[in-house]
Amino acid sequence: MARLLSFKAAVFFTLFFFISTDFVCCNNGRRVGDPLETELSGFSVPLEHSFELDDTGKFQVRGSLLLKTGREPSVSLTQNQLSEEDRAKLKEVAAVDGLYRIRVPRVFLQADRQTEWQMEGHLTAFVRACAMVESHLSDVITLHTDVSGYLIGVSIVTLPGACRGTEVEDEVDLEVFNTTLSIMAPVNAPGPETALFLERMEQESEKKGKNPQEQKSFFAKYWYLILGGAIFLMVTNSAQPPAGGGREQS
Amino acid sequence: MGKLILLLLNLIVLYNIVAAVFEDQVGKFDWRQQYVGKVRFSHFDTHMQSSKKVLLATESNVFAAINTRTGDLFWRHVDKTGPEGNIDAVLHHGQDAVLVVGNGRVLRSWDISVGGLNWEIVLDSGSFRSACLVGQQGTVKHAAVLKKSVISLHYLSNGHQKWVENLPESETVNYQAVHSDGNGQVYALGVVSHSHIAVVAYSAEDGEIIKQVSVEAPWLSNIPASCAVVGQGMLTCVDSTTMSIYTLDLYQQLQMIQIPLQSLGLEVDPGFQPHLVSHQPHPARQPLSEFLLQLGPDHHLLLQLNNGQIVILRDFKPALLVSFATTGEKTVAAVMSPKNKTACGINLFSAESGRRLLDTTLIFTVDPNAGKPERLHVQAFLKKDDSVGYRVMVQSEDHALTFIQQPGRVMWTREEALSDVVTMEMVDLPLTGTQAELEGEFGKKADGLMSMVLKRLSSQLIMLQTWVAHLWKLFYDARKPRSQVKNDVSIENLSRDEFNLQKMMVMVTSSGKLFGIDSKTGSILWKHYLDNIPSNAAFNLMVQRTTAHFPHPPQCTLLIKDKDSGLAALHVFNPIFGRKSQVAPPALSQPILQSLLLPLMDQDYAKVLLLVDDQYKVSAFPSTKNVLQQLQETAASIFFYLVDSSQGRLSGYRLRTDLSTEQVWEVVIPVEVQNIVSVKGKRPNEHVHSQGRVMGDRSVLYKYLNPSLLAVVTESTDLHQERSFIGILLIDGVTGRIIHEAVQRKARGPVHVVHSENWVVYEYWSTKSRRNEFSVIELYEGMELYNSTVFSSLDRPHAPQVLQQSYIFPSSISTMEATLTEKGITSRHLLIGLPSGGILSLPKMFLDPRRPEIVSEQSREENLIPYAPELIIRTEWFINYNQTVSRVRGIYTAPSGLESTCLVVAYGLDIYQTRVYPSKQFDVLKDDYDYMLISSVLFALFFATMISKRLAEVKLLNRAWR
């Protein structure tokens, strides 16, 4: 059963796997194991966050995103710990169901020179502060680029995402961010699959060709029936007396 | 293998959903209304005394003939939309009508008796200026067409060009008019603004320039607006700055003679541009020497030009509209003057003398719910006693045409505003009186056992009474032949039917006229004209309260927004009767960015409408204390989004308790690369019956049903066919999270999108393969649900699985919509409006990304159709059989009370209403269901059981005795 299921999944969710492989590859790129390369052709932008009791946006630096430009952009993150003060504030905000917001500046990832990648404005996203607290600061941040390499959006979700009202006793849990970061480019939407279909059609017709029974023409298949019918007709015709023959002659 | 193929074929055959109608069902559930649009030119067919045709050329590029007795179409020709099909001029002569189309691109001649094309020729390029018929010695054989730099003469019989000549000095002189009056010459009149008039006389025979003169006229800038040729080639102009009439003899061309209006004792109304109207009864003869001069909005004069002298024949004041008409040798002027607030009188005056003709008064009642009369088209005819009789066609501001006969009988009215429906809604009809009574009984508070019982008894007595009356009516009608049974629909007897199949269609047209149309018959039950609607208004119609909340009347709100300034106004009305509501809408002083209809209701069951202004402040309507309190309580869960496509900015906001807002997310799509062309959410009244799909192995694949998901479609700014693309973004409208981002490369718009349930279907033009393609995206949560009880955008950390597949579609499409049913059990179809006028009902089953490339046991178990790259249009899928719907712009779907049935309205130039049954009528017994047979079988079985039981008893008894 399990094998069947996986087979089906493979058939039906190729697209999904395509996305997830993309995702994984991005994750690999994220790992801060190659600082040299990022320094060579990348730049860093601040990742800022804001959580206030009155929900006004007072953004402070949370960490810095190292973006590697080029054909396949990747991203890595170095971030600070939450200070004692911030931890208390985050818990307070969570208690009144406030929002925890992040923002990143708009950048252009395909740029060669530094002057080109900077753009005006920010991209913002939010998550409920209580979800942030209850997940012990484990969040998933995804940066979305468009087809030409502009950063168009950022999204943040926490894992788990729900707010159940559980108290976070241990202050240590709110100290370090446990962030999963990825960068996603748009997937190519598939066009109509004509080639495969034609191939399949050809295969089918080939199979038909191999099967001699189906290749036979109509007459080849049913010659005995037709012949039988013809003979039957002839016999019945000849058996009939030539009625009115005499009259025709006169 | 053979078995397999057979099985496969079976499968496909089984899924051929038959959507065709039987011949006897034609027109039973559907109706079509054909329109022509706002009239630009009209000509009465006069070549035969008994003719009952009027030719109309309209701003919607339609040329049609209408029966003057009934108002029905004889024939209609719909040209291309936009400037390409624009009708520049109509020249009508005898049996033929010659049209100049597309800024002088094509010259076409139609036979008006049958509407057939006589000939069509393509003209040389150059923008069109004017055209006229050219006659000689009493016969008309040619038509002259004046363009920016050339003048050409064409034969009326075959369209061939007789001659074409360049206009002299066409770089400096702006030629604007062409004139001919049967003396063998064609005059081209041009003007050098504020300097002089240029007159060029051509010989009609060979196009040779006979004369070429320029005359000083420093006050003139536009000939057609201020000049007309009167009498014996006298070009007569009126100028408001010098307050004078100028005349110029085209035959002699000496100089302009100025006649000050003051010398005639006339004065132009301040700020009014005076206007001249002359009349040429026959193109081969000279125009009349009488002409009309308009000096003010309600001031007209009939003047005569006599040897260079102007004589006032008659002063019409007040007169709203004046028009000439000729029959035989007589020419009359019809004058419409206001009588009182609700009526206008029309009288005929002899054009020669200005005398009023006896017994020619006609009363025209002005509908307070219609616009003011705008133009008068007069059909004059000679009566038996040689006096002049007439009928008039009044065109009003709301594009309606009313045809009136003496002494004021309205023969027909055509609501041409319906040719341009912008938006519509379908509203349930109210309950009947008795049903309402019952409803009211339950609505009221209990006041004692005894009175409740009495009330119950009385209401049931009333029900019984109506039921008997209904039975009696049925019996009475059954005796009459079917054709005589008429179901007259009027506002009084409107009530909901058993299955809620009859509804009120509320249609908003671009002219600002609102209509209430009965969906069963198509008859207009009410209309309401909103004057002072800006020309570029955007409309948003919302149903705030449905008919379900008796005794509160249903309530619709129309948001009218000026696209330039952003300023908006609200019109609140009752959708059943069309009356303006008592509820005073708030005055909106700030430009409005967004309007939202919340599911919250006030104590009177009206849904709350939120309006977001450009300061991002929110105002509520209705804004009672109750509403404000509810808003405060739920503010934290009210999110909305704004789209600024000029900057590519999508931003999300959250409502605060003090009704201010805060921005919570922002997505910016760089406008240098791509532009947002459409943002589609889901319909709020959509129901999804099943949360998942059962797979072949009996496991369930759960759908990702995010109610606040937005499908954002972008088009690349680079239109090169190799680099152009279409972007599809699925964004959560609450959190701004990008759920999916896909790019369709080598594709171009226009993109049509339908977003429903867990799928998005879009259609685009593939520049690579040069064909139209459909693509479908489906979202699934996977094999298990994250939270099965409720969907919250704030708590769905896992991204859905995205499946996509594309198909080739053999036609371009005009519009697309999905069917909608009451509970969402019925399978969905896509309704596709094709440019050919067909409406195709394409089963969604064919657009399913899980269609397998290779057929397996499981996919067959799941009833998946094997993938085929081409979607084939089957003729039985056309729901409008031969009822072509021209220029479909929108399709509206509404659920009915029957789960199987979806009501469909397609609108464009025409309006077509029908019902569709995407899964056939599974919940309805057929018309020809044999009740007799089934009941007799039942009875027979019942009796058989009784008898056999008795027999068995007897037998048992006998055996016991033995």
Side-chain angles (χ1 to χ4, degrees):
Chain A
M1 198 64 199
R3 250 186 81 178
L4 258 174
L5 196 118
S6 67
F7 167 71
K8 179 180 55 196
V11 171
F12 295 132
F13 302 147
T14 15
L15 199 79
F16 169 62
F17 279 138
F18 176 62
I19 296 163
S20 45
T21 43
D22 211 33
F23 183 82
V24 167
C25 126
C26 294
N27 274 353
N28 286 342
R30 163 187 73 86
R31 270 167 210 148
V32 202
D34 224 353
L36 276 173
E37 210 179 284
T38 46
E39 274 162 24
L40 276 176
S41 61
F43 49 84
S44 82
V45 290
L47 169 70
E48 294 167 303
H49 63 175
S50 155
F51 40 98
E52 297 292 329
L53 279 170
D54 55 352
D55 270 341
T56 48
K58 280 186 197 150
F59 285 95
Q60 293 167 328
V61 175
R62 171 176 151 178
S64 68
L65 292 163
L66 280 165
L67 292 158
K68 184 175 152 263
T69 59
R71 270 261 140 233
E72 280 179 15
S74 63
V75 63
S76 61
L77 175 67
T78 50
Q79 47 192 353
N80 316 330
Q81 289 189 354
L82 268 188
S83 67
E84 184 108 12
E85 199 184 323
D86 282 345
R87 286 199 301 256
K89 195 163 79 179
L90 184 63
K91 280 181 91 173
E92 269 178 54
V93 173
V96 297
D97 196 15
L99 302 184
Y100 174 86
R101 307 188 211 190
I102 57 162
R103 76 171 188 192
V104 289
R106 289 179 61 200
V107 289
F108 179 42
L109 294 176
Q110 299 292 321
D112 299 326
R113 272 164 296 159
Q114 196 170 4
T115 47
E116 279 177 10
W117 55 258
Q118 273 177 320
M119 296 177 78
E120 235 176 78
H122 286 86
L123 306 167
T124 51
F126 75 99
V127 71
R128 287 164 82 187
C130 55
M132 202 70 191
V133 172
E134 284 177 35
S135 66
H136 305 283
L137 301 186
S138 34
D139 52 358
V140 181
I141 296 176
T142 315
L143 300 172
H144 295 269
T145 67
D146 79 344
V147 70
S148 51
Y150 286 96
L151 211 58
I152 60 164
V154 59
S155 67
I156 176 168
V157 286
T158 58
L159 271 174
C163 277
R164 293 178 209 287
T166 45
E167 276 289 307
V168 179
E169 292 298 331
D170 203 351
E171 286 278 316
V172 187
D173 285 342
L174 292 180
E175 216 161 68
V176 189
F177 286 102
N178 173 20
T179 307
T180 315
L181 186 68
S182 61
I183 188 159
M184 282 232 271
V187 295
N188 277 329
E193 284 282 352
T194 36
L196 246 158
F197 181 74
L198 287 177
E199 207 174 289
R200 208 182 74 203
M201 293 288 278
E202 254 167 49
Q203 274 176 5
E204 253 164 47
S205 60
E206 258 173 47
K207 265 181 200 167
K208 251 186 209 169
K210 274 178 200 163
N211 196 344
Q213 267 223 316
E214 291 194 16
Q215 210 189 11
K216 275 184 186 169
S217 70
F218 180 77
F219 284 106
K221 260 186 198 168
Y222 301 111
W223 63 271
Y224 46 92
L225 281 179
I226 295 164
L227 196 72
I231 290 168
F232 177 73
L233 275 176
M234 265 155 62
V235 167
T236 47
N237 265 348
S238 58
Q240 263 176 17
R247 237 185 292 162
E248 247 172 40
Q249 269 171 10
S250 65
Chain B
M1 189 62 207
K3 248 185 185 175
L4 215 146
I5 289 168
L6 213 82
L7 232 154
L8 229 144
L9 270 173
N10 251 339
L11 207 121
I12 292 170
V13 168
L14 275 175
Y15 278 97
N16 271 348
I17 287 144
V18 179
V21 286
F22 294 103
E23 199 176 345
D24 61 337
Q25 286 180 333
V26 165
K28 202 172 172 190
F29 309 115
D30 64 321
W31 50 262
R32 177 181 65 160
Q33 287 170 357
Q34 290 185 307
Y35 294 95
V36 294
K38 187 188 178 186
V39 174
R40 186 181 283 165
F41 304 106
S42 84
H43 289 273
F44 286 97
D45 181 16
T46 50
H47 85 281
M48 238 161 58
Q49 191 64 258
S50 61
S51 172
K52 43 185 183 180
K53 252 186 217 109
V54 56
L55 304 175
L56 302 176
T58 70
E59 298 193 348
S60 318
N61 307 348
V62 174
F63 184 54
I66 283 177
N67 188 337
T68 55
R69 303 283 145 80
T70 60
D72 296 334
L73 284 174
F74 273 124
W75 45 261
R76 183 181 75 167
H77 293 288
V78 182
D79 209 335
K80 287 176 193 147
T81 49
E84 251 187 294
N86 190 41
I87 299 172
D88 301 318
V90 175
L91 306 171
H92 174 214
H93 179 73
Q95 278 273 41
D96 301 334
V98 178
L99 268 70
V100 186
V101 178
N103 201 8
R105 188 179 51 89
V106 176
L107 198 63
R108 237 176 239 152
S109 169
W110 300 96
D111 182 341
I112 59 166
S113 58
V114 291
L117 183 68
N118 290 330
W119 48 260
E120 173 186 277
I121 56 156
V122 178
L123 298 178
D124 297 333
S125 61
S127 66
F128 173 79
R129 291 296 147 86
S130 179
C132 78
L133 292 168
V134 179
Q136 249 175 320
Q137 286 122 29
T139 56
V140 183
K141 283 185 175 160
H142 306 107
V145 177
L146 182 78
K147 291 196 164 190
K148 189 172 180 293
S149 56
V150 289
I151 181 167
S152 57
L153 206 70
H154 300 267
Y155 291 98
L156 279 183
S157 54
N158 54 15
H160 289 308
Q161 189 173 292
K162 188 172 185 190
W163 50 260
V164 59
E165 291 296 327
N166 283 324
L167 292 163
E169 296 162 42
S170 60
E171 292 84 35
T172 52
V173 182
N174 183 8
Y175 287 93
Q176 289 176 328
V178 60
H179 171 74
S180 156
D181 50 14
N183 63 353
Q185 290 182 11
V186 180
Y187 297 92
L189 308 173
V191 64
V192 177
S193 199
H194 304 295
S195 167
H196 62 268
I197 295 185
V199 179
V200 188
Y202 289 92
S203 158
E205 213 43 61
D206 51 6
E208 195 186 330
I209 295 180
I210 296 171
K211 240 184 281 179
Q212 184 186 351
V213 190
S214 63
V215 182
E216 285 285 305
W219 41 268
L220 186 68
S221 61
N222 189 345
I223 297 178
S226 47
C227 299
V229 180
V230 175
Q232 297 185 330
M234 297 293 277
L235 181 70
T236 312
C237 301
V238 62
D239 177 45
S240 58
T241 48
T242 55
M243 293 282 187
S244 303
I245 293 179
Y246 295 86
T247 59
L248 170 69
D249 195 332
L250 290 178
Y251 300 160
Q252 324 233 312
Q253 293 139 346
L254 299 169
Q255 66 173 67
M256 288 226 135
I257 300 162
Q258 184 181 9
I259 304 165
L261 284 171
Q262 243 172 357
S263 71
L264 299 166
L266 300 174
E267 216 174 303
V268 180
D269 282 16
F272 187 80
Q273 187 68 39
H275 189 63
L276 270 177
V277 180
S278 71
H279 186 60
Q280 189 174 9
H282 194 271
R285 267 174 253 156
Q286 284 167 350
L288 296 182
S289 56
E290 291 81 18
F291 60 97
L292 291 163
L293 175 64
Q294 188 179 10
L295 292 176
D298 61 345
H299 190 195
H300 293 260
L301 290 150
L302 181 65
L303 305 175
Q304 190 180 42
L305 187 69
N306 204 345
N307 295 328
Q309 295 298 312
I310 287 177
V311 184
I312 300 176
L313 290 178
R314 186 122 191 171
D315 190 342
F316 304 117
K317 190 173 183 178
L320 296 172
L321 300 167
V322 181
S323 174
F324 277 122
T326 301
T327 173
E329 292 299 309
K330 289 185 183 170
T331 300
V332 289
V335 179
M336 178 190 266
S337 45
K339 259 200 145 88
N340 52 38
K341 259 191 173 172
T342 57
C344 286
I346 302 171
N347 280 298
L348 283 194
F349 294 85
S350 159
E352 282 160 33
S353 59
R355 269 205 314 269
R356 199 170 82 85
L357 299 178
L358 288 175
D359 298 328
T360 55
T361 310
L362 189 152
I363 307 294
F364 170 64
T365 0
V366 180
D367 187 353
N369 287 328
K372 290 194 205 88
E374 208 175 42
R375 272 169 75 187
L376 206 58
H377 309 274
V378 183
Q379 182 190 26
F381 54 88
L382 284 176
K383 290 187 196 163
K384 274 177 191 147
D385 59 351
D386 217 29
S387 63
V388 181
Y390 72 117
R391 302 183 192 98
V392 287
M393 186 167 73
V394 183
Q395 185 183 353
S396 38
E397 282 176 334
D398 53 352
H399 309 177
L401 295 175
T402 316
F403 198 77
I404 313 166
Q405 203 178 23
Q406 267 179 302
R409 193 167 73 86
V410 175
M411 292 177 78
W412 48 264
T413 306
R414 282 185 73 87
E415 294 292 351
E416 291 302 336
L418 283 171
S419 69
D420 198 0
V421 175
V422 182
T423 174
M424 66 167 293
E425 282 288 341
M426 271 187 165
V427 183
D428 292 352
L429 290 175
L431 303 163
T432 54
T434 48
Q435 284 170 315
E437 180 118 342
L438 263 186
E439 198 89 350
E441 184 194 338
F442 291 113
K444 278 172 211 150
K445 276 180 192 147
D447 46 3
L449 184 74
M450 203 54 210
S451 62
M452 283 287 278
V453 170
L454 281 178
K455 222 183 252 173
R456 155 52 54 93
L457 284 177
S458 72
S459 59
Q460 276 182 344
L461 213 77
I462 294 168
M463 280 178 81
L464 187 76
Q465 199 181 328
T466 47
W467 185 65
V468 171
H470 173 72
L471 276 188
W472 172 247
K473 192 175 178 293
L474 269 186
F475 174 70
Y476 194 76
D477 282 348
R479 285 171 27 202
K480 280 198 255 176
R482 181 162 280 197
S483 57
Q484 279 185 14
V485 181
K486 262 205 296 193
N487 285 321
D488 278 333
V489 183
S490 69
I491 279 198
E492 284 73 39
N493 62 18
L494 267 188
S495 62
R496 201 180 301 178
D497 59 332
E498 262 174 309
F499 298 122
N500 203 1
L501 289 164
Q502 188 179 9
K503 293 197 179 197
M504 178 68 85
M505 292 159 53
V506 180
M507 296 192 126
V508 181
T509 63
S510 63
S511 65
K513 198 169 189 182
L514 312 183
F515 291 90
I517 299 176
D518 170 36
S519 75
K520 197 172 180 184
T521 58
S523 51
I524 296 169
L525 296 176
W526 59 263
K527 43 200 169 192
H528 186 88
Y529 180 61
L530 303 168
D531 34 13
N532 57 53
I533 295 285
S535 59
N536 57 346
F539 297 91
N540 191 3
L541 182 65
M542 289 154 286
V543 183
Q544 275 200 293
R545 192 194 295 130
T546 60
T547 16
H549 305 287
F550 187 81
H552 301 288
Q555 181 179 323
C556 273
T557 303
L558 180 69
L559 181 76
I560 306 145
K561 181 177 157 184
D562 189 324
K563 270 186 199 158
D564 292 335
S565 65
L567 287 173
L570 289 176
H571 174 69
V572 187
F573 62 100
N574 180 330
I576 304 299
F577 302 107
R579 281 194 293 265
K580 200 169 173 182
S581 169
Q582 307 287 331
V583 187
L588 309 168
S589 52
Q590 296 281 343
I592 297 296
L593 294 177
Q594 173 82 290
S595 66
L596 311 112
L597 200 62
L598 296 182
L600 294 179
M601 286 189 193
D602 73 345
Q603 70 271 36
D604 292 339
Y605 305 101
K607 280 183 188 163
V608 177
L609 176 69
L610 287 189
L611 297 162
V612 186
D613 64 21
D614 64 342
Q615 303 295 312
Y616 304 106
K617 284 263 189 302
V618 172
S619 54
F621 170 69
S623 59
T624 55
K625 219 174 191 179
N626 177 301
V627 170
L628 293 178
Q629 197 188 339
Q630 282 190 59
L631 277 180
Q632 270 181 10
E633 280 164 15
T634 52
S637 61
I638 296 175
F639 292 83
F640 62 91
Y641 67 94
L642 296 176
V643 183
D644 181 355
S645 56
S646 65
Q647 293 181 36
R649 194 180 297 272
L650 290 139
S651 39
Y653 292 82
R654 183 164 84 152
L655 196 66
R656 287 190 186 170
T657 48
D658 59 346
L659 291 191
S660 63
T661 58
E662 52 177 335
Q663 191 182 339
V664 288
W665 59 265
E666 192 167 22
V667 167
V668 187
I669 295 163
V671 283
E672 303 90 68
V673 185
Q674 47 192 337
N675 289 316
I676 299 173
V677 288
S678 91
V679 178
K680 281 253 179 161
K682 286 175 187 171
R683 290 180 63 165
N685 57 346
E686 176 185 280
H687 290 272
V688 182
H689 183 252
S690 104
Q691 286 214 342
R693 285 177 63 160
V694 182
M695 315 260 283
D697 58 359
R698 298 284 177 271
S699 63
V700 177
L701 183 61
Y702 288 100
K703 296 174 184 170
Y704 179 77
L705 297 167
N706 184 346
S708 49
L709 192 70
L710 305 174
V712 181
V713 179
T714 61
E715 276 179 36
S716 62
T717 48
D718 188 351
L719 290 176
H720 186 270
Q721 60 165 6
E722 285 294 314
R723 293 188 295 272
S724 69
F725 65 88
I726 280 166
I728 309 289
L729 274 134
L730 302 180
I731 296 182
D732 188 303
V734 172
T735 61
R737 185 179 175 196
I738 297 177
I739 304 288
H740 181 63
E741 194 187 354
V743 170
Q744 197 87 46
R745 288 185 194 273
K746 293 174 189 166
R748 207 167 14 140
V751 187
H752 300 273
V753 197
V754 172
H755 183 189
S756 182
E757 284 188 30
N758 65 330
W759 47 264
V760 179
V761 171
Y762 59 93
E763 187 262 6
Y764 57 90
W765 171 258
S766 164
T767 52
K768 185 187 166 200
S769 316
R770 293 164 189 275
R771 63 190 176 200
N772 290 287
E773 290 179 2
F774 261 100
S775 196
V776 55
I777 298 176
E778 284 196 1
L779 302 170
Y780 290 98
E781 290 222 351
M783 291 303 173
E784 49 195 77
L785 271 180
Y786 180 79
N787 179 352
S788 59
T789 50
V790 68
F791 190 99
S792 166
S793 291
L794 296 169
D795 179 20
R796 281 279 144 153
H798 303 292
Q801 303 165 2
V802 183
L803 307 178
Q804 187 165 12
Q805 214 169 51
S806 298
Y807 314 88
I808 303 162
F809 193 66
S811 165
S812 68
I813 73 170
S814 303
T815 183
M816 188 160 63
E817 188 54 83
T819 59
L820 194 65
T821 52
E822 181 91 359
K823 296 268 179 271
I825 300 167
T826 310
S827 62
R828 310 290 296 269
H829 277 201
L830 287 173
L831 298 169
I832 300 166
L834 302 179
S836 63
I839 295 165
L840 190 76
S841 180
L842 178 71
K844 167 69 180 58
M845 190 189 281
F846 284 90
L847 290 166
D848 181 352
R850 301 187 58 250
R851 281 176 71 175
E853 304 242 339
I854 299 142
V855 187
S856 67
E857 199 65 47
Q858 286 197 0
S859 68
R860 213 173 305 126
E861 180 83 20
E862 218 186 316
N863 285 337
L864 290 174
I865 307 161
Y867 179 78
E870 188 168 18
L871 293 171
I872 296 160
I873 296 181
R874 286 174 216 269
T875 41
E876 70 263 25
W877 284 348
F878 285 106
I879 57 169
N880 57 339
Y881 47 105
N882 65 353
Q883 307 277 310
T884 310
V885 188
S886 291
R887 293 198 198 137
V888 193
R889 262 198 322 277
I891 294 175
Y892 179 89
T893 52
S896 73
L898 281 175
E899 172 54 33
S900 65
T901 311
C902 169
L903 303 175
V904 177
V905 182
Y907 54 88
L909 188 62
D910 302 340
I911 296 175
Y912 180 74
Q913 191 277 142
T914 190
R915 303 172 189 169
V916 289
Y917 318 100
S919 300
K920 293 196 203 170
Q921 287 179 290
F922 60 83
D923 51 0
V924 179
L925 289 180
K926 283 205 183 89
D927 278 352
D928 55 353
Y929 185 77
D930 204 340
Y931 292 94
M932 278 307 282
L933 182 79
I934 197 92
S935 45
S936 55
V937 165
L938 261 179
F939 275 113
L941 277 175
F942 177 72
F943 283 117
T945 342
M946 295 292 280
I947 291 161
S948 54
K949 197 178 168 193
R950 177 87 194 120
L951 287 177
E953 268 173 15
V954 169
K955 197 174 181 186
L956 269 178
L957 196 67
N958 285 343
R959 194 181 289 162
W961 275 109
R962 217 174 277 155

